[in-house]
Amino acid sequence: ATLRPTFAAPYNNAGLLLLTCGRLEQAQAMFRRAIELAPAIAQQHVNLGVTLASMRDRGSAIDAFTAALAIDPDHSVARAHR
């Protein structure tokens, strides 16, 4: 199925499902699209960061966690990973 909504939640949800299934490249793409549509949602940046960390892309993961903290400085998961 192809997602085409203009709001972020379906992409973020699809990314979570793909992440859970270990389909990291596809999860990353879903989280990036969710962020494009709604960049002010910290959790989407965290989800991307977790995915990138799982892919062993530490630099990009840190960038994602930093972006999340810029939105929500108290986000505990982003703080723990940064």
Side-chain angles (χ1 to χ4, degrees):
T2 301
L3 296 176
R4 297 181 196 261
T6 57
F7 52 97
Y11 292 99
N12 187 64
N13 292 342
L16 290 170
L17 178 62
L18 291 162
L19 176 61
T20 301
C21 294
R23 296 168 65 178
L24 302 178
E25 290 288 338
Q26 292 169 306
Q28 176 190 192
M30 291 292 120
F31 294 133
R32 289 190 186 281
R33 181 65 179 138
I35 290 167
E36 286 175 15
L37 293 169
I41 299 175
Q43 187 61 50
Q44 296 176 160
H45 294 276
V46 170
N47 294 343
L48 176 61
V50 169
T51 303
L52 293 167
S54 296
M55 296 171 74
R56 306 212 189 290
D57 186 351
R58 180 146 173 77
S60 296
I62 289 171
D63 290 344
F65 295 128
T66 300
L69 290 171
I71 298 162
D72 179 1
D74 297 322
H75 197 291
S76 60
V77 175
R79 292 180 75 120
H81 284 88
R82 190 168 158 250

